[in-house]
Amino acid sequence: MTRLLTPNLVLGAALVVLVVGMAALSLVWTPHEYAQMNMRDRFAPPSDIHLLGTDQLGRDIASQLMVAARNSMTVALIAVLMGGSIGVALGLLASAIGGWVEDLIMRIADIGFAFPALLFAIMLSAVFGPSLWVAVLAIAFINIPVFARVTRGAANVIWTRDYVAAARAAGRGKFAISRDHILPNVAAPVIVQATIEFAIAILAEAALSYLGLGAQPPSPSWGRMLSEAQTLMFMAPQLAIYPGLCIMAAVLGFSLLGDALRDLTDPRLTRSRQA
Amino acid sequence: MNALLQVRAVTRRYRMPRSSILRRGPVLTAIENVSFTLERGRTLGIVGESGSGKSTLARLIMAFEAPDEGEVLFDGKNLHALSSAELRLLRRRFQMVFQDPWGSLDPRHTVSWSIAEPLRATGAGEIGRRVDEALSQVGLRPQDGSKYPHEFSGGQRQRIAIARAIVTRPALLVADEAVSALDVSVQAQILNLLMDLQEDLGLAMVFISHDLPVVACLADDVLVMRAGQAIEAGPTAALISAPRAQYTRALLAAGGLMP
């Protein structure tokens, strides 16, 4: 069992616990009110009062990072859940029906793959105005084809199993078989993919907020903190370093966790690990 | 009264994947012009080497796929001409036992859930009682129903698969290599179970195997298949004592049953 605790899994899980912990804690407690400005206490160095110091408006950096973590997690969670459920449904449908319907769904997914997320978000904000919800929708949209493809690939394997043939012999329809047999058995690769997509969603949210298309002031976001710190790079580099480190920790954590979960659920790798 | 199962001159072809974008793939004829009739309560053994089309025949009888030519009549109804709703309702009367007891039970569901599946699909009542009854008919205990498939051995899992197949009280059971994945000692137990069930429930059975001695011990009639064609058919005793085809003799010799 100790072989299962790979460095990827341990480091990934630790970073995920750290970032999610930050986000969860911000729901009930932050060291300071995150939006509280104090012009006499600008650019304060780290101290007992301000753990990581204050920014150009005298706001507590640690509090902002915590609330930004919560915003980032919320965006990623909603986007991955939305994109994932639509994508999984489409993948199950494509696999269940087959033939030209499957081809059509997968070719549409290919077109979706070709859409750059940032361009799509810029397009959406041109129409609806920039907001966090635009970011959520854009990230959800790019997740749909990813989940559709993963689900359809795994589902096509499950459809060839004898227990699916037995369910057909039992007189069950394609919808019932998809729900009762295919979905539970494709859950493992889908969950792995969701973890990796979560990392990508965090990065996308940071990029959109950096461009001003995500979280709007005063709602804090790692990406916007980064862009606001840009003009102050030489005066107060720590303002860029802290949110940058947070983005790295979150993205690296979920990516490593996703990779580790994939390794654990991949039978070929399981065999080589036992050998 | 109609025969229970009539297979009339069925042919099934598969198109292989294309090797060039300009040419369509070659056509493989899995079964060609195979016919037989099975009366109620009787057992037909189908023997042949792998690739002889036995499993394709099972898939046609189970209406998992349709023949390119010919028809399959179950109780006088052409399975491949029924509406999907009619077919789903009729399915409770013909059930199947698969070769691999590890692949034929969904690992994510309890044994009771899997056995109840054919009942649930057709909206039958008293599901709990009938599942318990099916479990005891195959020699398992009712409390085994709450376990998951991985907690059982191969032979026990095949008993579970048989329980699922008989829970709707079918008239026909199709067993495709149902014992060939099992140890020899377990094979005998499962064969005895199938014979007992057949007697108790009045089942007709299509028993498919590559193993002629196994087929001979429970089939009333035997159909020998090779390369998609039925090359010899007849009552088991006659076929074994006086095989006409060279291939049947070879199968008998391979099984240690020389005439």
Side-chain angles (χ1 to χ4, degrees):
Chain A
M1 280 306 281
T2 51
R3 300 290 299 274
L4 297 180
L5 292 174
T6 56
N8 276 4
L9 184 66
V10 173
L11 183 59
L15 287 172
V16 165
V17 166
L18 181 77
V19 175
V20 172
M22 257 170 80
L25 186 59
S26 80
L27 287 171
V28 291
W29 177 82
T30 51
H32 293 270
E33 178 57 38
Y34 70 89
Q36 180 65 53
M37 291 185 262
N38 185 348
M39 283 306 175
R40 275 182 299 181
D41 210 8
R42 300 163 70 201
F43 301 113
S47 65
D48 290 351
I49 306 164
H50 296 293
L51 199 58
L52 298 174
T54 61
D55 68 2
Q56 71 278 14
L57 298 174
R59 294 174 295 194
D60 183 57
I61 292 177
S63 306
Q64 288 200 69
L65 289 176
M66 286 170 69
V67 178
R70 185 216 300 166
N71 284 344
S72 187
M73 296 299 118
T74 310
V75 168
L77 190 68
I78 297 173
V80 170
L81 282 181
M82 269 171 64
S85 40
I86 298 173
V88 167
L90 284 175
L92 289 177
L93 186 73
S95 183
I97 295 177
W100 67 268
V101 175
E102 180 175 13
D103 288 343
L104 182 72
I105 291 176
M106 296 329 287
R107 290 301 81 75
I108 292 173
D110 287 343
I111 295 170
F113 266 113
F115 256 90
L118 286 183
L119 282 186
F120 186 70
I122 291 168
M123 195 179 85
L124 282 185
S125 34
V127 179
F128 301 108
S131 77
L132 208 55
W133 285 107
V134 168
V136 170
L137 279 182
I139 298 167
F141 178 80
I142 55 162
N143 269 312
I144 294 173
V146 179
F147 280 96
R149 176 165 287 186
V150 168
T151 305
R152 174 260 197 173
N156 280 354
V157 175
I158 304 297
W159 273 101
T160 67
R161 296 281 158 85
D162 279 348
Y163 56 77
V164 172
R168 291 180 63 192
R172 309 208 72 195
K174 286 182 169 176
F175 178 77
I177 291 175
S178 291
R179 186 193 58 208
D180 288 343
H181 294 288
I182 312 294
L183 186 59
N185 284 291
V186 301
V190 167
I191 288 168
V192 169
Q193 193 64 38
T195 313
I196 293 168
E197 290 307 309
F198 205 86
I200 295 173
I202 291 168
L203 196 59
E205 188 274 333
L208 290 172
S209 294
Y210 177 85
L211 294 174
L213 302 174
Q216 298 302 306
S219 178
S221 147
W222 293 333
R224 221 190 55 252
M225 290 171 77
L226 211 51
S227 74
E228 285 171 3
Q230 205 173 15
T231 51
L232 307 163
M233 265 306 270
F234 295 102
M235 205 179 123
Q238 76 276 11
L239 295 187
I241 290 171
Y242 291 137
L245 282 177
C246 284
I247 294 169
M248 195 199 75
V251 173
L252 192 65
F254 280 101
S255 299
L256 287 177
L257 187 64
D259 280 352
L261 290 178
R262 184 176 53 202
D263 290 352
L264 283 180
T265 56
D266 189 330
R268 280 168 302 170
L269 292 172
T270 310
R271 264 202 299 277
S272 65
R273 204 165 40 233
Q274 285 164 348
Chain B
M1 198 161 157
N2 295 319
L4 183 66
L5 179 70
Q6 293 174 68
V7 173
R8 289 186 183 160
V10 292
T11 297
R12 177 76 174 112
R13 303 185 190 93
Y14 294 102
R15 187 168 288 283
M16 306 302 282
R18 58 178 66 208
S19 52
S20 150
I21 200 160
L22 299 176
R23 266 198 307 266
R24 305 184 71 183
V27 171
L28 179 106
T29 303
I31 298 187
E32 194 170 4
N33 196 22
V34 171
S35 303
F36 64 82
T37 299
L38 178 64
E39 301 290 342
R40 273 159 236 278
R42 304 272 289 176
T43 298
L44 173 72
I46 299 179
V47 275
E49 61 200 2
S50 54
S52 59
K54 305 173 306 228
S55 290
T56 302
L57 195 52
R59 298 182 62 78
L60 294 177
I61 297 169
M62 291 305 296
F64 291 151
E65 49 192 79
D68 294 300
E69 285 162 34
E71 53 191 15
V72 178
L73 302 183
F74 179 83
D75 205 6
K77 298 184 189 76
N78 183 349
L79 289 182
H80 303 283
L82 292 173
S83 75
S84 66
E86 288 172 318
L87 178 60
R88 277 167 64 178
L89 212 56
L90 191 61
R91 279 189 182 283
R92 74 176 84 176
R93 301 198 47 218
F94 55 98
Q95 288 286 314
M96 180 159 178
V97 178
F98 296 85
Q99 172 173 10
D100 176 13
W102 301 101
S104 63
L105 296 168
D106 189 334
R108 306 260 168 189
H109 294 293
T110 62
V111 164
S112 291
W113 192 98
S114 289
I115 295 174
E117 192 167 31
L119 295 175
R120 217 176 299 117
T122 49
E126 295 189 292
I127 288 180
R129 188 188 59 74
R130 292 176 66 174
V131 168
D132 288 350
E133 188 188 20
L135 276 168
S136 63
Q137 279 174 322
V138 299
L140 293 169
R141 298 164 306 161
Q143 57 264 41
D144 288 330
S146 55
K147 296 184 193 166
Y148 283 85
H150 69 256
E151 298 174 59
F152 293 90
S153 69
Q156 287 174 313
R157 290 168 65 106
Q158 204 60 310
R159 288 175 188 270
I160 296 165
I162 293 169
R164 172 177 58 190
I166 61 166
V167 75
T168 55
R169 306 212 161 281
L172 171 67
L173 192 65
V174 177
D176 184 7
E177 299 276 14
V179 298
S180 51
L182 305 173
D183 292 343
V184 174
S185 58
V186 182
Q187 278 190 10
Q189 293 172 15
I190 298 296
L191 287 173
N192 281 329
L193 173 64
L194 285 173
M195 286 190 272
D196 290 346
L197 287 173
Q198 181 167 33
E199 205 162 300
D200 296 346
L201 305 175
L203 277 171
M205 193 148 58
V206 174
F207 189 89
I208 297 173
S209 177
H210 63 278
D211 193 344
L212 188 49
V214 166
V215 169
C217 84
L218 81 174
D220 302 307
D221 299 284
V222 177
L223 178 76
V224 181
M225 288 192 66
R226 186 183 197 187
Q229 298 186 323
I231 58 171
E232 184 164 5
T236 307
L239 188 122
I240 288 179
S241 56
R244 279 174 287 129
Q246 186 63 42
Y247 182 64
T248 311
R249 271 184 223 121
L251 279 180
L252 286 170
L257 289 178
M258 275 309 282

